[in-house]
Amino acid sequence: MRKLFKRRHIIGLSAALLLIVASWVGNVIYYQSMQLKGPLFIKTYMTITQSGERIELPYLENKSASRKVAQVILDELPGLSFDISPGSSHEFAHQILNTASAQWHADEGGSPRLLEIHEATVIYNDGQSVRLPIGEIEIVPDTRETRLLQSLTTSGSTDGKGSEVVNLTEDAALEQITWSYRDVLEPYLHIRESDKPIDSLKLPLSLKRGAVLSFAYQWDIPRDRLIELANYKPKLQLTFRLKDGRKVRESLSLARGLYLSGQQIRQLVQAGGEKP
């Protein structure tokens, strides 16, 4: 009886030990699967139209990484200086979300030109460097001779709502309304002017000096859509015709904050940043 009890005891201890080892191995495998090979930039899609606007590039780094991002360079804009501020960090289970930010000025790129930037050169604290995809930064030079719109109020909130209210500095006809990245964002971004969908407006619309345009927008991206894992900063683009026949293009921001959950961070890490 004692031998039977002893045998069962040994078997029980062996099974418990196997469970502990299996659990430990599973934890190690999971931990390794949640480690990035290097920094992962959240895909950012933004349009910049005016000097002085900020470029913000959020990226993930492993908490345990000894090699950290020290500098970010856009080869197309070598004079641009990015700041990597620890104060902008947000911690998750295995990664830290940082942001590299810089203020763009028209003279950074030399003469005015249209630019589309898709990669950044990242320099680590050990001096090594690598080229990484960042999404797309579209820079549309501001070459207007006339500033037609004057801002009255601007608002934005964490629930995806925002507004831009402007008035005209001279008579003009509004000929076209669109927004950057519309082909991707149209199902998820709803824009109204004076409580009417912008596509219902009858254009061209003749407007007098002092006329007010009130744009309200709502971001509505379901949490299970891959597009939620990208950082979108589009612009509302308005085309006017002045009395003398000149065209003037104005842009307004359609702000959207980037709010990622721990589950979404896991999706990004496990997909290697390929989504969306």
Side-chain angles (χ1 to χ4, degrees):
M1 192 72 178
R2 287 183 178 180
K3 288 183 179 180
L4 180 62
F5 176 79
K6 188 175 181 180
R7 183 180 299 173
R8 288 180 177 176
H9 182 66
I10 292 172
I11 292 173
L13 287 176
S14 299
L17 183 60
L18 284 173
L19 286 174
I20 292 171
V21 171
S23 176
W24 179 81
V25 171
N27 288 337
V28 170
I29 292 173
Y30 177 74
Y31 175 82
Q32 291 175 341
S33 73
M34 289 305 301
Q35 295 301 296
L36 294 166
K37 294 179 180 178
L40 172 62
F41 279 77
I42 308 297
K43 296 295 176 60
T44 294
Y45 299 90
M46 69 183 304
T47 301
I48 293 179
T49 57
Q50 297 179 31
S51 186
E53 291 189 66
R54 292 196 72 77
I55 298 175
E56 295 185 338
L57 301 176
Y59 66 93
L60 289 169
E61 283 184 317
N62 292 331
K63 281 184 177 181
S64 59
S66 58
R67 192 170 67 168
K68 300 284 188 180
V69 174
Q71 192 176 359
V72 175
I73 297 173
L74 300 182
D75 292 356
E76 296 85 348
L77 299 172
L80 201 63
S81 178
F82 277 88
D83 175 55
I84 300 174
S85 172
S88 65
S89 301
H90 186 78
E91 291 195 17
F92 293 91
H94 300 281
Q95 279 77 36
I96 297 176
L97 180 64
N98 292 318
T99 300
S101 60
Q103 199 160 17
W104 179 78
H105 295 283
D107 56 358
E108 299 287 357
S111 58
R113 57 197 172 116
L114 176 65
L115 285 176
E116 287 186 1
I117 303 170
H118 299 97
E119 291 186 325
T121 297
V122 175
I123 300 176
Y124 297 104
N125 53 0
D126 61 4
Q128 295 188 29
S129 66
V130 64
R131 294 274 291 172
L132 294 176
I134 57 172
E136 179 178 284
I137 299 173
E138 178 188 45
I139 296 181
V140 182
D142 184 357
T143 57
R144 292 169 299 177
E145 297 176 1
T146 301
R147 186 166 294 280
L148 186 59
L149 298 183
Q150 178 179 328
S151 178
L152 297 179
T153 63
T154 299
S155 69
S157 62
T158 57
D159 63 358
K161 292 181 180 178
S163 67
E164 289 278 352
V165 181
V166 297
N167 67 355
L168 274 69
T169 59
E170 60 180 276
D171 297 354
L174 177 58
E175 293 188 333
Q176 185 182 31
I177 307 177
T178 187
W179 63 90
S180 50
Y181 306 110
R182 181 170 182 171
D183 56 333
V184 177
L185 297 176
E186 189 158 19
Y188 314 110
L189 180 57
H190 312 290
I191 308 171
R192 306 174 74 87
E193 197 285 314
S194 298
D195 208 31
K196 296 179 182 177
I198 59 173
D199 287 338
S200 71
L201 297 177
K202 295 181 179 179
L203 303 178
L205 180 63
S206 295
L207 299 166
K208 295 292 186 181
R209 177 182 177 181
V212 174
L213 292 171
S214 179
F215 294 100
Y217 58 89
Q218 171 71 60
W219 288 89
D220 184 21
I221 302 179
R223 298 293 288 182
D224 61 345
R225 299 299 169 91
L226 300 182
I227 192 174
E228 179 74 12
L229 306 182
N231 183 33
Y232 276 94
K233 303 283 185 183
K235 288 287 180 69
L236 184 66
Q237 299 165 337
L238 311 173
T239 302
F240 294 90
R241 177 82 63 178
L242 302 183
K243 275 189 172 182
D244 59 11
R246 286 181 296 149
K247 274 190 176 182
V248 174
R249 292 182 176 87
E250 294 273 3
S251 298
L252 302 173
S253 293
L254 300 170
R256 174 180 177 265
L258 181 67
Y259 306 102
L260 296 176
S261 66
Q263 181 180 354
Q264 289 172 317
I265 294 296
R266 288 193 294 273
Q267 282 182 267
L268 280 170
V269 172
Q270 291 173 343
E274 294 302 317
K275 300 178 181 181

